[in-house]
Amino acid sequence: MPRLAYLGPEGTFTEEALRLLDPTAERLPCATVSAALNAARAGDADGAVVPLENSIEGAITTTLDEFAWGEPLLITAELLLPVQFSLLAPPGTEIPHIKRVYTHPAAITQTRAFLARELPDAVVVAAPSTAAAAQEVSLPGSPYDAAIAARIAGEHYGLVQLATEIGDRSDTVTRFVRVARPGALPEPTGSDRTSLVVFLADDHPGALLEMLTEFSVRGVNLTRIESRPTGGGIGRYFFHFDFEGHVADARVGEAIAGLHRICGEVRFLGSYPRADGLAPQIKPGTSDSEFTEAGDWLARVRAGKV
Ligand SMILES: O=C(O)C(=O)C[C@]1(C(=O)O)C=C[C@@H](O)C=C1
């Protein structure tokens, strides 16, 4: 039974994602995304489950930066979780008396319209996670009157739901990934995604276009591109890419080998089954068999068999 670290305490959306990814895993709640990843790196856990992006807020930048700068980990699975928020408070609380609300920053972004409409004068404070907020609000003498969290967090910590489905959109989804220390990759399934981080060798006109060309000429379809500051000054960026296919696919392997040739550093983050089960678009001339045939042809040319 694997032991998986996650952003806790009990009742976070990350815990729900972990349970869906591996119902049998032993769960190790951690205070932050970084702590969960460090538990996996240090061997205190076999792996970790962390949020990576949200359909409203976009990237979870802590996760992206950990993947880029921290000791390497490999993504082995992903999950798309619909997220719905509730306003939770100790029994007896009434909405007009709520002065201070506690929740995760991602939840603040996703419930802006509700907060502006129902609690325009309340101070909203950032918590380490939605469940940490619910736990804190449940304590006697808490400085917060209410939390925004999953319904299940309210049940864990004895809070009641004052309002349900308070997200600005009803179709919000957060993408979670499971990571492990570097080792064997998941087998290709025909519906895979690959992630990597690319650092430029130097800044020059067309640098981004050159990177994109490596994908384009091999017919590799990107599913996400994100630039993040290197920390080395304004205008200094590195890039996260997600794209269709598995590194075992010829077109994917050739594309990332091409990036390795022209960029400063390429950090491979893993090839893993896609949560949506979609098959990649394969343009004519970019299938594995066509790459193999072209390689055989080149070998014949090099041998003078024209
Ligand atoms: O605080 C939690 O419950 C989490 O699991 C974190 C997190 C996030 O980082 O985006 C996960 C899903 C929701 O988008 C809100 C918060």
Side-chain angles (χ1 to χ4, degrees):
M1 188 168 68
R3 183 173 154 90
L4 295 179
Y6 72 99
L7 173 66
E10 266 189 282
T12 57
F13 291 101
T14 311
E15 183 193 334
E16 199 179 333
L18 186 161
R19 285 172 179 272
L20 291 167
L21 280 164
D22 191 342
T24 65
E26 185 191 335
R27 295 182 300 279
L28 176 66
C30 298
T32 61
V33 163
S34 299
L37 295 173
N38 284 336
R41 290 181 178 118
D44 299 336
D46 301 303
V49 175
V50 291
L52 193 137
E53 62 174 322
N54 178 272
S55 61
I56 295 208
E57 206 200 359
I60 313 291
T61 51
T62 308
T63 303
L64 294 192
D65 290 349
E66 278 284 354
F67 287 174
W69 302 109
E71 220 178 291
L73 290 165
L74 283 180
I75 302 173
T76 57
E78 68 171 9
L79 179 101
L80 301 174
L81 183 79
V83 287
Q84 272 301 342
F85 299 97
S86 296
L87 182 69
L88 306 168
T93 310
E94 286 173 11
I95 289 185
H97 298 135
I98 295 175
K99 299 276 176 286
R100 288 170 69 80
V101 178
Y102 199 35
T103 192
H104 188 274
I108 302 176
T109 320
Q110 292 168 60
T111 57
R112 262 194 220 297
F114 172 85
L115 288 168
R117 193 176 64 243
E118 304 292 334
L119 294 164
D121 300 322
V123 174
V124 185
V125 179
S129 72
T130 56
Q135 188 179 40
E136 163 64 39
V137 166
S138 74
L139 300 176
S142 168
Y144 308 104
D145 306 311
I148 293 174
R151 179 187 53 76
I152 188 90
E155 290 171 12
H156 268 301
Y157 301 108
L159 303 175
V160 296
Q161 296 194 84
L162 300 185
T164 58
E165 305 199 356
I166 64 171
D168 293 348
R169 292 185 60 129
S170 58
D171 55 355
T172 305
V173 173
T174 299
R175 178 175 163 225
F176 293 87
V177 290
R178 175 178 176 163
V179 297
R181 290 184 294 284
L185 304 183
E187 292 292 321
T189 65
S191 169
D192 303 291
R193 199 188 308 281
T194 297
S195 301
L196 45 86
V197 173
V198 179
F199 294 89
L200 295 174
D202 60 75
D203 183 21
H204 60 271
L208 181 57
L209 183 61
E210 288 163 16
M211 284 192 277
L212 295 177
T213 301
E214 297 296 326
F215 293 108
S216 166
V217 296
R218 276 99 183 186
V220 175
N221 192 27
L222 296 183
T223 54
R224 188 174 62 90
I225 174 170
E226 208 96 47
S227 55
R228 292 286 304 147
T230 63
I234 299 296
R236 303 279 167 211
Y237 289 93
F238 67 96
F239 301 89
H240 274 263
F241 291 99
D242 284 352
F243 43 93
E244 292 181 344
H246 192 285
V247 70
D249 299 334
R251 66 187 182 291
V252 170
E254 296 244 348
I256 74 170
L259 288 173
H260 175 79
R261 276 189 283 105
I262 66 166
C263 297
E265 188 192 334
V266 177
R267 182 182 271 207
F268 177 71
L269 298 182
S271 289
Y272 48 92
R274 286 178 73 148
D276 56 19
L278 294 177
Q281 301 171 17
I282 302 178
K283 287 203 307 192
T286 66
S287 67
D288 274 8
S289 57
E290 286 160 311
F291 270 97
T292 305
E293 192 280 325
D296 293 347
W297 172 82
L298 181 60
R300 287 197 301 278
V301 168
R302 284 176 172 159
K305 295 178 186 162
V306 289

